Amino acid sequence: MSDNFFKWDQERLTTHVDAMDNEHKKLIDIMNRLYDRYEAKATKPELQSIVRELASWTITHFEHEEKFFDTLDYSQASVHKKIHKDLIERLKSHAAEFDKTGVLTPAFFQFLKTWLTAHIMGIDTKYGVIAAQKSA
Ligand SMILES: [Fe+2]
Ligand SMILES: [Fe+2]
């Protein structure tokens, strides 16, 4: 599998919750595929279908994550859900922009990269800490 766009980094990105790490890896796979096909100058319909897959998997992943952290005594749950909502809105607006222009912009890829690093490292790892305390 390609990691031209973003490489999984166990040490920095792990939440210590295997199911969620696997879902994050799947997200990263889709983004890498999108980037590779963009670099290969794939057609708009092909790129659109990958963007749709990314949006739909993101929504699914956020649902799983929210269900999971609702089982924990996680004080940041509502803030985290709000952040998810905002990310989905921003992803959708980038997708709509692409539908209109047919151009995937550097800003779109920058958004994906920031999301991966800032959200997974800065936010998702927090429920990981709580989950680890619970199972200890
Ligand atoms: Fe999250
Ligand atoms: Fe996540």
Side-chain angles (χ1 to χ4, degrees):
M1 221 160 293
S2 142
D3 54 13
N4 288 332
F5 173 65
F6 195 91
K7 193 170 164 31
W8 173 260
D9 179 336
Q10 179 67 21
E11 212 173 300
R12 290 166 70 223
L13 296 173
T14 185
T15 59
H16 302 285
V17 179
D18 288 347
M20 294 305 145
D21 283 358
N22 288 334
E23 294 200 6
H24 289 152
K25 286 175 189 168
K26 186 171 166 182
L27 263 182
I28 293 171
D29 282 344
I30 301 171
M31 293 183 193
N32 278 320
R33 184 151 36 88
L34 179 64
Y35 185 75
D36 281 349
R37 296 310 296 147
Y38 158 79
E39 287 270 275
K41 305 202 183 334
T43 61
K44 182 178 173 188
E46 185 188 341
L47 295 173
Q48 264 171 328
S49 99
I50 306 174
V51 170
R52 278 193 205 110
E53 184 186 342
L54 178 62
S56 113
W57 177 245
T58 299
I59 291 168
T60 304
H61 165 61
F62 287 174
E63 282 170 5
H64 291 166
E65 208 168 59
E66 291 173 13
K67 254 192 207 138
F68 172 70
F69 62 58
D70 280 345
T71 68
L72 304 169
D73 187 15
Y74 175 44
S75 62
Q76 300 298 304
S78 65
V79 178
H80 197 147
K81 286 177 192 174
K82 169 88 174 64
I83 295 171
H84 283 170
K85 231 175 138 228
D86 290 347
L87 280 172
I88 289 172
E89 287 312 309
R90 289 176 63 196
L91 181 59
K92 280 186 177 162
S93 88
H94 279 290
E97 184 71 20
F98 173 58
D99 284 342
K100 234 187 343 190
T101 63
V103 180
L104 282 176
T105 61
F108 179 71
F109 285 107
Q110 190 53 50
F111 159 70
L112 296 181
K113 215 168 244 180
T114 308
W115 160 13
L116 290 169
T117 43
H119 187 72
I120 297 177
M121 275 174 58
I123 309 288
D124 287 348
T125 50
K126 289 187 182 156
Y127 66 68
V129 171
I130 313 258
Q133 283 166 353
K134 196 186 175 192
S135 62

